[in-house]
Amino acid sequence: MRLAVIGAGMAGILSAIKLDEAGLTDFTVYEKADRLGGTWRENTYPGLACDVPSHLYSYSFALTPEWSHRFSPGPEIYGYFEKVAKDHDVVRYMRFGDEVTECTYDDGRWRLRTASGHTDVVDVVIAATGVLHHPRYPDITGMDTFAGAMFHSSRWDHSVSIEGARVGIIGTGSTAVQIVSAITTDVAHLTLFQRTAQWVMPQENPAYTDEEQASFRSHPEHLATLHTNLAEAFGIFANAVVDSHSPEIKMIEDACRANLEDNVRDPELREALRPTYRAACKRLIISPNFYDAIQLPNAELVTERIERIEPGGVRTADGRLHELDVLVLATGFKADAFMRPMRVAGRSGLTLEQAWAPRPEAYLSISIPDFPNFFMLNGPNGPVGNFSLIEVAELQFDYILQLIDQIRSGACREVSATRDATDALEAERTEAAPNTVWVTGCRSWYLDDRGIPAVWPWSFERFRTVMRQPELASFELR
Ligand code: NAP
């Protein structure tokens, strides 16, 4: 059996390790960039970190005593993935600098074509292409006239010095908050353009002491316990967001409100920073020091609507020009793109664009009807945003491997979800959506074009249970 994995980020590295372990060694991991790392390669902005604790945001089979902080910085996370891939000797499977542009199902096999013209024919495709990958640029008049440096947060231009510069940031998501917290002390002036205020959950980020790290090294079993305990604690949050009446969500709301009221001194600024929707409706911001940073004398919160961008800076609706040397677009990602713009055509030439009109869907976020032997990790409508995506990908991979085993054992040649199972799950998912906190009155990247969260709306235990073993009746095995 020959396989192709698309993407060498967290889920692609995982796939390579697990395929190799399973003895499925005839595969290539296609990566369009020149090195592995996915989101941790692409995002290099100052303050980059992960708001899932590091000992949880680790592969279960590659726990490490070396994490420096509870929430370790981005470069350290990148280094972790690089090391794990090297330690498991899977870099040799990776083909860098070549983007898969086409995947066509023909005569029982997938035909791949890359940007360089390279072709491959495989039995199984695993798309590990990530979720928050394609930058969403705002559509603001005059963007191309700005005379300073302007870039998206995930395309940080390190050749531009921000030291002593007048820096503007558009957006108030997790990314913007991390950047503001990291750079305000270095820049001459920081302007944060806020369209919507955010609730901020206070969370300390202590460093692990040498003694703690030494103890992890000499007792690796403690790492496993820590991983399990953190998963349990995180599970409380994951379960709270899918039940907007839960006492846990109330606790989160109270903690965010107290954070705002106790830590923002100026009443006018406090009200400008106070959201008008419930906490965790948008992806909850976790930060120990955002309020400190935005209250520094050289920081300014601008809530006036952006009118246009001019050579000298950003002009707001009140007529004021906010003069800037650098403008950072922390405006988020196209969360519904997944492996697109790759052209994927399944049975009878059905394209992904057709199958995903009007919106992406997949059975358990893994398999699409009429796209046999094509599997996704962290595909549409999965538990994104409320858990560690590493555990999600590990559970999904084990499930996919069981489907691949159906082919390996000769039970069938083709596996894809049935239309009925996909429709039934979608109906159930849509019905569960009103219970979640994501529909309590805010705009966010979780919501699809109908305002339904494109997310797993149930508990994480339920996800774990469902992922244990495929229900073969939900699949068409040919
Ligand atoms: P985001 O949460 O989608 O936030 C985008 C921000 O840009 C929002 O504040 C949005 O305002 C604003 N915006 C977009 N277009 C605009 C326009 N035309 N004019 C003015 N404002 C505009 O993006 P993100 O901060 O990059 O985060 C995306 C996700 O990545 C997060 O939710 C999280 O899941 C993940 N992430 C995680 C971490 C972590 O620590 N684990 C760190 C960074 C990112 P509105 O709110 O009004 O729409």
Side-chain angles (χ1 to χ4, degrees), residues 45 49-52 132 138-140 153 170-176 178 195-196 198 282-283 306 330-333 443 445:
Y45 61 77
C50 181
D51 57 14
V52 174
L132 300 168
D139 182 14
I140 302 173
S153 56
I170 299 180
T172 50
S174 308
T175 301
Q178 289 181 342
R195 186 165 70 179
T196 311
Q198 289 270 16
K282 282 170 175 286
R283 162 73 178 227
I306 295 174
T331 46
F333 299 86
R443 162 181 49 201
W445 63 262

Side-chain angles (χ1 to χ4, degrees), residues 119-256:
T119 57
D120 197 352
V121 182
V122 303
D123 301 290
V124 171
V125 176
I126 298 175
T129 47
V131 188
L132 300 168
H133 174 58
H134 299 283
R136 183 181 289 287
Y137 288 88
D139 182 14
I140 302 173
T141 308
M143 272 185 49
D144 53 349
T145 65
F146 185 56
M150 182 175 76
F151 43 82
H152 188 269
S153 56
S154 66
R155 302 286 182 270
W156 194 274
D157 184 347
H158 292 277
S159 70
V160 175
S161 171
I162 53 164
E163 208 143 308
R166 296 164 303 175
V167 178
I169 300 174
I170 299 180
T172 50
S174 308
T175 301
V177 163
Q178 289 181 342
I179 298 171
V180 170
S181 307
I183 70 170
T184 307
T185 47
D186 299 333
V187 302
H189 191 265
L190 183 128
T191 312
L192 178 63
F193 296 95
Q194 169 184 289
R195 186 165 70 179
T196 311
Q198 289 270 16
W199 287 112
V200 180
M201 181 81 178
Q203 182 62 258
E204 291 309 313
N205 186 17
Y208 287 107
T209 61
D210 292 347
E211 293 73 36
E212 282 170 316
Q213 287 183 333
S215 147
F216 288 144
R217 272 180 221 117
S218 48
H219 299 284
E221 69 280 8
H222 292 177
L223 285 175
T225 310
L226 183 57
H227 186 261
T228 309
N229 292 347
L230 285 169
E232 260 171 40
F234 219 78
I236 297 172
F237 172 72
N239 292 345
V241 289
V242 295
D243 177 4
S244 60
H245 302 294
S246 63
E248 289 80 12
I249 206 85
K250 172 93 179 41
M251 276 164 57
I252 292 169
E253 281 172 343
D254 291 346
C256 291

Side-chain angles (χ1 to χ4, degrees), residues 363 416-418 420-421 470-477:
Y363 180 65
S416 56
T418 65
D420 284 353
E471 254 184 49
L472 291 182
S474 301
F475 290 89
E476 197 181 349
L477 308 177

